[in-house]
Amino acid sequence: YKKRDRRTFRDALIDYANAHPIAKSFLVNYGPVGDQFNDLPDGVANRCEMIGWMNPDNPDARNGFRQIVREIVGRPKSAKLKQLSLSDAKTIVIDISASMRCVLRSEPFWNLLRDNVGELSKIYLVDTNVRAEVSLGELENWLTSNELGTSTNLLATVSNLVEYNEDVFVITDVEGRENLAFATNLVVDHFEEEGVNAIILRISKENFERDVDFFLASK
């Protein structure tokens, strides 16, 4: 809501708190929520909170909500990545479109590469086409010296790479994942840290070709 709706907000908090009697209930709103309610029923009031101005222009509200979730459910885990190491991957695609800027500058991203990617792996830097092929040691210098792409289109590049490689690992974001949405892929890992959100996919030639045929046939 762009404005506070006292009755609707209060009723929603009471309904959810009563439906989940041992849970905390948080109401978030795009606009203001006003002061916390002081007239909620007993047994409900101590489990209800509100966060206002939850929108792209207010990092404080987003960070506050993120902290609440982490306190309740814990921090993201990356155990799956250790079980299927990227060091076994011969071909890695890194999305270098502008939407990946925060990821490419983040500590989790670089820890991921340093801990898991072998020096013999081929790393393809892709936005709408292959911008460069680099080794792990060359990657940081390339990113420092070159501009990121203005858009994302991984489909053509991944299609070409899976033609000649058993598996292709793709490090991208939600936009890149949607670009490859119809291809069967294995989410090897997903990491989210301080607003940095990335997805790691493993795409095989067999599954990719099968799903492309199915997609085209359904058009």
Side-chain angles (χ1 to χ4, degrees), residues 13-21 25 41-44 47:
L13 283 171
I14 293 173
D15 285 347
Y16 277 90
N18 284 333
H20 304 278
S25 295
D42 293 341
V44 169
R47 296 186 290 110

Side-chain angles (χ1 to χ4, degrees), residues 39-89:
D39 59 346
L40 296 176
D42 293 341
V44 169
N46 63 342
R47 296 186 290 110
C48 292
E49 293 186 32
M50 297 188 295
I51 301 175
W53 303 108
M54 183 77 165
N55 58 60
D57 296 326
N58 191 351
D60 289 342
R62 299 198 310 272
N63 290 336
F65 180 74
R66 181 182 300 114
Q67 184 61 34
I68 287 169
V69 173
R70 284 186 174 166
E71 288 175 357
I72 295 173
V73 303
R75 301 180 69 83
K77 299 184 184 300
S78 298
K80 291 182 181 177
L81 191 61
K82 300 301 182 182
Q83 298 171 8
L84 186 56
S85 174
L86 286 178
S87 61
D88 298 327

